[in-house]
């Protein structure tokens, strides 16, 4: 394919001189090109063909066993000033990056093909969409980018001869964890990623561009780039509402985005606009409108079943790439939590023989599917909406075995910003490191905010100050409260609709809440209970706000806020003090 953008051509030439690929391929995003990428990977053993009768167009990739998740300790913000990365990001100066990391790209593509992947984040017709170009030596990355973004010609057409695109340079390098770096240059809108082929580290359109770089663009341009799903709910009365929700990685965003209403709540319809990232811009009416910059799902596989998420399951039945799941002798993908029990013998995610009862899971806990949104039975037609969908409610949440009630509503936008800023959650397998440890994860953006989190909160507050803004209500949920027996109290999944329904009624102004020190909590009986088997004691536990526990939480919050020094916005401090006062 020939390209006409001189800046892009010059950059590609510079990079190929440095990395020395055997060939350079400009991706046009066509089906024929995708098919030939797949054929090459089947030949080289990078992909394995799954059972084409049951999973047409589906393949399995087994990654390097040491390269299976995001690596936060190798992820850096390379702003000119350290202060601009803030206390929650790793920082490397651009000069150090050039001295230390750039040499890792030298000759790195020898013996490989360099793929130039132009992509558009956001709908083709949307003025809010942004162009990026990823240069990679991984055909797996190029193929995944075709599923996850609008790739090729559509992006080049949008770009024209403009210089306004995010430049992403990716090489597998030698896949060594010691030489693995994911660098972001917010001032020059550049990304360098070396040493990993894992989605969140290597599909640069996703976390690196659509969150870390876009969060900086959003700050500069007056919008929000957030780690949020987007869903639409139509009520039995035919009214439509839209919700954005931010949960940390592997805490159920995909499940919530694809929720199927329980049989006991007839007449509701839930549609999926996005499952991971949301870009929110003001409309002329002062409301926030969300687009999903992505075109596919990169979802966690284990635990996905016809009970937990039939829509995700259906999404993976064709034209999808599975990474690090197990494989049955019939070449079907299998994972822990699958509908079918494990057969007597499996090939595990590392390619070894596996039998039920083995001392390790057959599928990696962070094994993933990459699937087109168009495959999803609940996909909304608004996935292509140029303007985006108007947001009625923003929801924050995390995994907390104790403390946070099932749901509460903030008092105001400023208080909602504080609620987001003080979010905490138990860690999951989506990133390397210990699992199950409570950590602060403001707005679920801890690993994804491309600048100082204090400035980021300030930006959130400034969104609230925009003249004429008609802002969504802000809520907090916790599906993960555990009882004394250690079991989850709330049934979750489809029944989460009951909580969303309560939020919608609050948006409409229904008197269904009571004031507590942390916010408005549902009045007993105000969450639809028909067909639900939750005892009175469990409701007590679910809706409890224990002042002593929250006072303890506040000291954890203070410790966290102390890291920000004078970057902590006055509005956040005000909310902190007001909460302390209410708690007594
Ligand atoms: C993801 C993540 O892959 O948050 O979406 O890690
Ligand atoms: Mn995510």
């Amino acid at each position: 394919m020939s390209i006409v953008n001189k800046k892009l051509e010059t950059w590609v030439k510079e990079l190929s001189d440095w990395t020395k690929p055997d060939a350079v391929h400009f991706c046009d995003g066509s089906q024929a090109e995708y098919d030939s990428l797949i054929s090459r990977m089947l030949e080289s053993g990078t992909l394995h063909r799954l059972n084409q009768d049951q999973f047409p167009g589906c393949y399995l990739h087994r990654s390097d066993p040491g390269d299976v998740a995001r690596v936060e300790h190798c992820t850096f913000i390379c702003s000119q000033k350290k202060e601009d990365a803030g206390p929650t990001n790793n920082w490397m100066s651009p000069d150090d990056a050039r001295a230390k990391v750039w040499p890792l790209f030298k000759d790195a593509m020898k013996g490989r093909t360099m793929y130039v992947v132009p992509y558009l984040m956001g709908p083709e017709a949307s003025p809010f969409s942004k162009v990026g170009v990823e240069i990679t030596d991984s055909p797996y990355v190029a193929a995944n980018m075709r599923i996850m973004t609008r790739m090729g010609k559509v992006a080049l057409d949008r770009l024209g001869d403009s210089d306004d695109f995010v430049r992403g340079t990716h090489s597998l390098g030698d896949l060594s964890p010691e030489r693995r770096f994911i660098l972001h240059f917010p001032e020059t809108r550049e990304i360098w990623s070396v040493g990993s082929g894992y989605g969140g580290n290597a599909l640069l359109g996703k976390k690196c561009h659509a969150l870390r770089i876009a969060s900086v663009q959003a700050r500069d341009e007056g919008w929000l780039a957030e780690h949020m799903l987007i869903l639409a709910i139509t009520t039995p009365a035919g009214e439509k509402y839209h919700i954005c929700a931010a949960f940390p990685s592997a805490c159920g965003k995909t499940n919530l985005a694809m929720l199927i209403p329980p049989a006991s709540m007839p007449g509701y319809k839930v549609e999926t606009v996005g499952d991971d990232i949301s870009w929110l811009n003001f409309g002329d009416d002062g409301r926030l409108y969300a687009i999903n910059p992505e075109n596919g799902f990169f979802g966690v596989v284990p635990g996905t079943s016809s009970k937990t998420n039939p829509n995700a399951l259906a999404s993976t039945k064709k034209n999808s790439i599975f990474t690090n799941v197990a494989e049955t002798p019939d070449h079907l993908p299998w994972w822990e939590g699958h509908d079918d029990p494990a057969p007597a013998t499996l090939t595990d995610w590392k390619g070894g023989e596996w039998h039920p009862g083995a001392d390790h899971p057959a599928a990696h806990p962070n094994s993933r599917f990459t699937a087109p949104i168009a495959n999803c039975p609940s996909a909304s037609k608004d996935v292509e909406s140029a303007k985006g969908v108007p947001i009625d409610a923003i929801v924050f949440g995390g995994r907390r075995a104790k403390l946070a009630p099932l749901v509460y509503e903030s008092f105001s936008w400023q208080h909602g910003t504080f609620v987001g800023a003080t979010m905490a959650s138990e860690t999951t397998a989506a990133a390397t490191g210990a699992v199950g440890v409570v950590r602060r994860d403001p707005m679920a953006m801890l690993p994804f905010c491309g600048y100082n989190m204090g400035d980021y909160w300030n930006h959130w507050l400034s969104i609230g100050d925009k003249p004429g803004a008609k802002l969504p209500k802000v809520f907090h949920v916790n599906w993960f409260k555990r009882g004394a027996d250690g079991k989850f109290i709330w049934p979750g999944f489809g029944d989460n609709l009951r909580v969303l329904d309560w939020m919608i009624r609050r948006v409409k102004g229904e008197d269904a809440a009571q004031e507590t020190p942390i916010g408005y909590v549902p009045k007993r009986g105000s969450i639809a209970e028909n067909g639900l088997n939750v005892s009175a004691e469990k409701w007590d536990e679910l809706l409890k706000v224990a002042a002593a526990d929250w006072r303890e939480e506040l000291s954890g919050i203070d410790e966290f806020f102390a890291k920000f020094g004078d970057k902590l916005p006055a509005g956040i401090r005000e909310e902190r003090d007001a909460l302390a006062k209410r708690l007594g």
Side-chain angles (χ1 to χ4, degrees), residues 412 414-415 418 570-580 582:
S412 63
Q414 175 170 293
H415 180 232
F418 171 81
I572 297 291
R573 186 167 298 284
E574 233 173 64
E575 291 298 332
R576 181 256 165 236
D577 292 346
L579 173 63
R582 291 193 299 268

Side-chain angles (χ1 to χ4, degrees), residues 125-197:
S126 177
F128 307 123
S129 299
K130 302 261 184 204
V131 176
V133 180
E134 172 165 1
I135 293 186
T136 176
D137 55 10
S138 160
Y140 166 83
V141 166
N144 274 271
M145 284 292 283
R146 180 163 185 277
I147 300 175
M148 292 305 297
T149 71
R150 286 126 177 125
M151 190 248 254
K153 188 174 176 312
V154 58
L156 286 182
D157 287 350
R158 167 67 83 102
L159 184 62
D161 59 7
S162 160
D163 196 18
D164 184 13
F165 62 97
V166 171
R167 289 161 164 79
T169 305
H170 170 253
S171 172
L172 294 172
D174 62 5
L175 286 180
S176 146
E178 290 80 52
R179 285 178 289 283
R180 185 171 291 162
F181 292 94
I182 325 293
L183 307 187
H184 306 75
F185 301 79
E187 284 108 356
T188 54
R189 318 287 202 228
E190 273 177 283
I191 304 157
W192 300 353
S193 167
V194 63
S196 170

Side-chain angles (χ1 to χ4, degrees), residues 90 140 226 246 287 348 418 460 533 538 540:
N90 300 313
Y140 166 83
E226 299 298 328
R287 298 185 69 188
D348 70 12
F418 171 81
W460 263 77
N533 194 9
K538 284 189 173 168
D540 285 344

Side-chain angles (χ1 to χ4, degrees), residues 32-33 45 98 156 182 192 226 248 271 357 495 520:
E33 176 183 82
R98 194 152 280 281
L156 286 182
I182 325 293
W192 300 353
E226 299 298 328
E271 289 164 287
D495 286 312
Y520 297 113

